[in-house]
Amino acid sequence: MDMKIDFDNDILVEYYNDVTEDTRYIRETVFVLEQGFSEEFDEIDKKSIHLLVKVNNKRAATARIFKSDNSNAKWTIGRFAVLKEYRGIGLGSFLVKKVEEKIKEQGGRTAELSAQKQAEKFYLSSGYIPMGDIYYDQHAPHIHMEKIID
């Protein structure tokens, strides 16, 4: 894709306490339609902070974060998705930074995630470290990854 983005002027990040029409659309498009997952929405959505990235006021990417435990120190990143037409232009890396900023703002010091094996290199490039063995979530191989962000 030849899309050029001015990250200072073309992008808006919004924060929500539950799934919105836009975040639902992105997650259904990426995880259900493209990748064949069936159990996309769960009770964790209600206790998460949802990030929505808009490019030129159009929905483009989303992720959710929630406390991993009661200490507030470790947070889980999940449902990280970028619509196909916005991939390869740096939007994923931008979203990782915004997610980490929000975790820090909430008092978090460590971020963890369950990365699809196909996305492991992307998360490695953002400083995440694989921990443990590969496991399957529905039909897809995943790896647990963590990063100290404070």
Side-chain angles (χ1 to χ4, degrees):
M1 165 169 252
D2 293 333
M3 182 184 296
K4 298 277 189 276
I5 293 180
D6 177 347
F7 282 89
D8 293 323
N9 296 307
D10 297 343
I11 295 185
L12 176 66
V13 182
E14 299 174 348
Y15 303 89
Y16 298 96
N17 292 321
D18 204 346
V19 176
T20 66
E21 182 181 331
D22 287 331
T23 60
R24 178 176 295 278
Y25 174 83
I26 294 167
R27 287 169 55 180
E28 284 178 342
T29 300
V30 172
F31 296 121
V32 179
L33 299 176
E34 285 180 23
Q35 298 179 1
F37 287 93
S38 59
E39 299 163 19
E40 178 49 29
F41 301 95
D42 57 27
E43 72 286 346
I44 296 171
D45 283 321
K46 298 245 183 262
K47 65 176 189 175
S48 297
I49 298 170
H50 300 262
L51 287 79
L52 171 65
V53 177
K54 290 183 174 179
V55 176
N56 294 318
N57 213 29
K58 294 182 180 150
R59 58 192 171 202
T62 190
R64 73 178 185 189
I65 59 172
F66 57 93
K67 282 192 255 186
S68 304
D69 55 31
N70 292 328
S71 74
N72 207 45
K74 185 180 276 192
W75 285 68
T76 300
I77 302 168
R79 305 308 202 257
F80 192 100
V82 178
L83 289 173
K84 193 178 286 187
E85 57 267 34
Y86 295 101
R87 293 179 196 154
I89 56 173
L91 201 59
S93 297
F94 174 84
L95 181 54
V96 167
K97 287 184 183 85
K98 290 300 176 185
V99 164
E100 291 173 355
E101 286 173 12
K102 193 65 172 175
I103 290 171
K104 281 188 207 177
E105 182 184 300
Q106 300 298 312
R109 297 192 316 268
T110 304
E112 67 177 356
L113 54 87
S114 176
Q116 289 185 29
K117 190 70 176 128
Q118 67 182 10
E120 182 180 11
K121 285 183 180 154
F122 167 76
Y123 291 111
L124 283 169
S125 72
S126 294
Y128 286 80
I129 299 167
M131 307 183 87
D133 296 325
I134 293 171
Y135 57 93
Y136 281 79
D137 183 351
Q138 294 188 47
H139 61 278
H142 284 67
I143 184 85
H144 180 84
M145 302 183 82
E146 292 189 9
K147 177 181 179 181
I148 295 169
I149 57 171
D150 67 347

